[in-house]
């Protein structure tokens, strides 16, 4: 599946935002404006200068909408949620080339709040996934104690864990040890 650079960056941001929620972590990783500022900086969100408690609330609402899209049972449900999210953000597509990136599309309106910025760009990235018939790639980790969101970009749509280095390895090692214990017993 060929995904444009800007869409991939937006998908990574969506996944990271969803995974800040207390459902996927022991604590809310967007607990205050400083945490939101760090998130915005880590994801090189352009056009954001000052952040307020209102921005934090707005971003948390967008995060909840993104999580609903990951949980949508089918493409039609996901499409309806994406449409609502993108429409509420007041999208204004525009071509841009900034910060060393070649031409790409921003969907947020000039002067948009950080919540609308994330909703527009992230919503359109999720729309790309739905339009290409790949909604089932929006997944949650199957590790029993995890549940983190991820986008399965594997060729055969077979990824089951958010990270092969953590959840995948941990479960494979546990299964290996169980087999060895059974064989020794």
């Amino acid at each position: 599946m060929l995904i444009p650079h800007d869409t991939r960056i937006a998908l990574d941001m969506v996944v990271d935002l969803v995974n800040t929620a207390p459902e996927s972590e022991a604590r809310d990783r967007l607990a205050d404006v400083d945490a939101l500022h760090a998130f915005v900086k880590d994801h090189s969100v352009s056009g954001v200068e000052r952040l307020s408690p209102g921005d934090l609330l707005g971003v948390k609402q967008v995060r909840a909408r993104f999580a609903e899209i990951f949980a949508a049972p089918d493409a039609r449900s996901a499409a309806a949620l994406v449409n609502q999210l993108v429409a509420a953000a007041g999208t204004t597509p525009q071509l841009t080339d900034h910060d060393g990136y070649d031409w790409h599309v921003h969907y947020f309106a000039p002067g948009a709040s950080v919540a609308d910025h994330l909703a527009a760009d992230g919503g359109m990235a999720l729309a790309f996934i739905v339009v290409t018939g790949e909604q089932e790639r929006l997944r949650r980790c199957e590790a029993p104690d995890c549940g983190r969101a991820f986008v399965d970009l594997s060729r055969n749509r077979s990824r089951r864990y958010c990270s092969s280095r953590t959840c995948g390895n941990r479960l494979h090692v546990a299964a290996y040890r169980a087999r060895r214990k059974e064989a020794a017993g």
Side-chain angles (χ1 to χ4, degrees):
M1 183 165 112
L2 182 63
I3 299 177
H5 173 268
D6 53 333
T7 302
R8 179 64 185 261
I9 288 175
L11 286 171
D12 290 344
M13 178 276 302
V14 167
V15 166
D16 289 348
L17 183 59
V18 169
N19 287 334
T20 65
E23 296 87 46
S24 60
E25 292 287 329
R27 60 179 172 72
D28 188 339
R29 290 185 12 229
L30 275 185
D32 55 32
V33 174
D34 289 337
L36 177 58
H37 181 68
F39 181 87
V40 165
K41 184 178 177 189
D42 288 347
H43 291 278
S44 303
V45 178
S46 60
V48 176
E49 294 176 20
R50 290 191 203 127
L51 296 169
S52 69
D55 289 317
L56 179 62
L57 178 61
V59 170
K60 285 184 175 185
Q61 290 169 344
V62 169
R63 175 179 71 184
R65 299 305 303 268
F66 285 155
E68 289 176 25
I69 294 165
F70 270 79
D74 54 45
R76 185 166 303 284
S77 301
L81 292 167
V82 168
N83 286 339
Q84 291 168 1
L85 179 70
V86 169
T91 57
T92 307
Q94 53 189 319
L95 287 168
T96 184
D97 65 338
H98 62 87
D99 298 331
Y101 294 110
D102 203 1
W103 289 105
H104 59 282
V105 180
H106 281 300
Y107 295 95
F108 59 92
S113 70
V114 67
D116 285 344
H117 181 140
L118 299 178
D121 280 356
M124 291 307 297
L126 292 168
F128 175 81
I129 295 295
V130 174
V131 164
T132 57
E134 302 288 353
Q135 186 257 337
E136 73 276 0
R137 290 183 183 268
L138 304 177
R139 299 211 175 136
R140 292 289 186 153
C141 183
E142 292 181 20
D145 58 345
C146 185
R148 291 174 56 87
F150 68 94
V151 178
D152 179 5
L153 297 177
S154 67
R155 191 173 248 178
N156 61 358
R157 298 176 193 88
S158 63
R159 190 168 154 200
R160 297 175 51 208
Y161 306 112
C162 63
S163 170
S164 60
R165 288 179 292 169
T166 54
C167 291
N169 279 349
R170 184 171 39 87
L171 291 172
H172 289 108
V173 167
Y176 171 77
R177 288 180 180 161
R179 287 191 305 272
R180 286 197 43 158
K181 185 177 180 180
E182 185 179 310

